[in-house]
Amino acid sequence: MKIAISTGGGDAPGLNAVIRAAVVAALQRGWEPWGIREGFDGLLFPERFHGEGLVPLTRERVRGITHLGGTIIGTTNRGNPMKYPTKKADGTVVELDRTGEVVRGLRAHGFDALISIGGDGSLTIANHLAKQGVRVIGVPKTIDNDLEGTVITFGFDTAVSFATECVDRLHSTAAAHRRVMVVEVMGRYAGWIALNTGISSTVDAILMPEIPYDLKKVADKILEREKAGHTFSIVVVAEGAKPMGGDLTVLSKEAGRAERLGGVGEKVGAELQELTGKETRVVVLGHLLRGGTPTTFDRLIALRFGAAAIRALADGRSGIMVALDPPNVRYVPLEEATKRMKSVPLDCDSMKTARDLGICFGD
Ligand code: F6P
C-alpha cells in the first residue's frame, strides 16, 4: 500500500503525533507512507516546492516529533481544492473546483489511499474526494473542538490549558490595578475554548457565539462585584461572540478561505470601560493557542487517531473519520462528521456548572 498523508487548515498541537503514529503503524505493515506538503499544494503545484511537493515519510523522518507543535509537512488554509482561489487575466479572483486534479494526481503517483488530517474544511474536502472514488480516512483536528461525531478533537486541550494558564496570570495584575481584564480567545463560531477556559480559570463573565450578549448585564455583574469588595473582574470573549441583535467582528474576507474573525475583545473592553467607569485592558491570545507542545491528553489521542486511521485502511474501510468515544476510538462516516458544526449545547453540564458558579454570559 502506498498512502498519502495531508494536513490541512490551521495547525493544531498534535498533528506531528498523528503523523508519527500513522507512519510507524504503516511501516510496520510494510506500507509506503508519503506526506503531501501544505494541504494538497504539494500535489497540485510541485514547482512551488522545487519538485519536492511529496515527501517520503521514513522512520527516520518521524523520529522525535511527537511532542512538537506545527506539522512537519506544512499546512495551508488557502488551499481548499474545492474552492481554489485563482487569479483571472483581469485581476479578479475566482474560486475553482480543482478536486479532479487532486484525484488524478493521487492516481498518477500510485497512491492507494489518503489520510486527511484536518478540521471541518479539510474533512469536507476528504468527503468530496471519497465520493470521487479516493480511499480516504479523516482524522479530526482543531483547537476549536467544533466537529460533530467525536467527543473531542486533538489540539483543543492544549489550547484550553494554555489559555487557562494565561488567565490565571491575569488575576494578580487585574487585582493590583483594580482593573477589568478582557481576554479574547479563538474558537471561530463555537464557544468551546471560551467556556472551558472561563470555567477553569474562574472568570466572572464568558461571552460566546452561542449566546448573543448584552454588555449592560456584564457591567452590572462587575459593579455588583465591586460593591461586594471585589475590585477587579475578568471577562473571556470568544472571537465569534456577538452582541444581541448585532454582528460578528470580521477582520477580513478573501476568496478561497474562511473569513478571519478577531477584534471583538477591543470592542467589549471599550464598552465595558464606558459602562462601568473602570479601567479596562484587553489581551488577545490569538495564535498562541495553536503553538507549542501538545498536552499529554492531546498527544495520546493524536497517537491513537493516527494508529486507528491505519487500522481502518488495513480493514479496507474508506469515507470515515476516526473519532473519540471514550474509552474507545470509533469510526463515523465523513458525511455525518461534516454535516454541521458542533456548537456548545446550552443545556450541557459545563454550561450548568458555569451558571451554578455565578459566571455571567451577558444574557
Ligand atoms: O480553526 C482554528 C483557528 O485558529 C480559529 O480558531 C481561528 O478563527 C482561525 O483558525 C484563524 O486562522 P488563521 O490562522 O488563518 O488566522
Side-chain angles (χ1 to χ4, degrees):
M1 282 265 276
K2 183 172 174 182
I3 61 164
I5 300 178
S6 157
T7 53
D11 68 322
L15 279 170
N16 284 324
V18 179
I19 294 173
R20 174 181 177 268
V23 167
V24 174
L27 291 172
Q28 285 212 52
R29 287 168 169 81
W31 299 357
E32 201 187 321
W34 287 70
I36 304 176
R37 304 271 300 274
E38 300 181 17
F40 291 105
D41 283 1
L43 192 65
L44 292 173
F45 311 106
E47 67 285 357
R48 288 193 196 159
F49 303 91
H50 310 290
E52 292 185 356
L54 301 174
V55 281
L57 292 174
T58 60
R59 185 69 189 82
E60 217 36 60
R61 190 70 194 81
V62 299
R63 208 174 287 287
I65 63 167
T66 304
H67 66 291
L68 301 179
T71 156
I72 58 164
I73 50 178
T75 186
T76 176
N77 48 17
R78 288 166 178 263
N80 180 348
M82 284 166 75
K83 294 179 181 175
Y84 211 94
T86 309
K87 218 178 197 159
K88 290 207 309 188
D90 63 2
T92 54
V93 179
V94 289
E95 293 177 347
L96 295 182
D97 184 354
R98 305 186 73 155
T99 42
E101 287 166 62
V102 174
V103 177
R104 286 192 292 280
L106 288 168
R107 288 205 183 116
H109 287 279
F111 286 114
D112 300 296
L114 167 73
I115 294 181
S116 174
I117 314 168
D120 55 342
S122 308
L123 296 178
T124 302
I125 299 163
N127 191 28
H128 195 54
L129 292 173
K131 286 180 182 160
Q132 294 184 49
V134 178
R135 270 185 76 191
V136 190
I137 305 294
V139 176
K141 162 241 66 166
T142 169
I143 64 163
D144 305 336
N145 195 36
D146 58 355
L147 270 171
E148 274 292 347
T150 184
V151 164
I152 208 162
T153 54
F154 72 84
F156 174 65
D157 185 63
T158 309
V160 170
S161 301
F162 182 71
T164 300
E165 189 190 325
C166 292
V167 180
D168 284 349
R169 285 167 187 262
L170 292 174
H171 279 263
S172 54
T173 174
H177 289 268
R178 298 171 169 252
R179 279 176 176 157
V180 174
M181 301 296 296
V182 173
V183 187
E184 182 183 306
V185 294
M186 283 185 167
R188 227 186 268 282
Y189 311 112
W192 294 104
I193 297 179
L195 178 65
N196 284 24
T197 300
I199 297 173
S200 309
S201 57
T202 66
V203 301
D204 306 295
I206 300 171
L207 306 181
M208 47 191 245
E210 291 83 352
I211 307 177
Y213 60 77
D214 174 357
L215 282 186
K216 285 199 210 75
K217 300 270 168 62
V218 182
D220 287 348
K221 165 86 187 177
I222 293 169
L223 295 173
E224 250 171 51
R225 278 177 51 79
E226 194 82 5
K227 267 195 220 140
H230 309 299
T231 56
F232 73 96
S233 290
I234 302 190
V235 181
V236 168
V237 187
E239 62 179 359
K242 53 179 185 245
M244 276 178 194
D247 289 324
L248 283 173
T249 309
V250 176
L251 269 181
S252 61
K253 175 107 194 79
E254 278 173 44
R257 61 182 298 175
E259 62 187 3
R260 285 183 64 208
L261 303 180
V264 67
E266 281 298 340
K267 289 186 186 169
V268 166
E271 275 186 62
L272 282 180
Q273 178 157 305
E274 187 73 27
L275 288 167
T276 61
K278 285 186 70 69
E279 196 173 37
T280 301
R281 292 287 185 268
V282 179
V283 177
V284 179
L285 295 180
H287 291 82
L288 286 169
L289 302 187
R290 296 222 309 243
T293 303
T295 57
T296 310
F297 180 84
D298 275 341
R299 250 187 248 194
L300 196 53
I301 57 168
L303 291 166
R304 290 173 66 193
F305 283 174
I310 296 296
R311 289 199 299 277
L313 285 179
D315 288 345
R317 305 189 68 175
S318 176
I320 52 170
M321 180 187 86
V322 176
L324 189 69
D325 184 8
N328 290 316
V329 157
R330 65 175 180 128
Y331 303 103
V332 294
L334 278 167
E335 188 74 30
E336 195 184 299
T338 54
K339 217 162 26 198
R340 59 178 171 271
M341 192 193 84
K342 184 174 75 181
S343 306
V344 176
L346 296 185
D347 59 351
C348 70
D349 174 72
S350 295
M351 284 298 301
K352 288 179 186 161
T353 304
R355 294 208 190 262
D356 281 339
L357 294 177
I359 296 175
C360 168
F361 286 93
D363 59 346

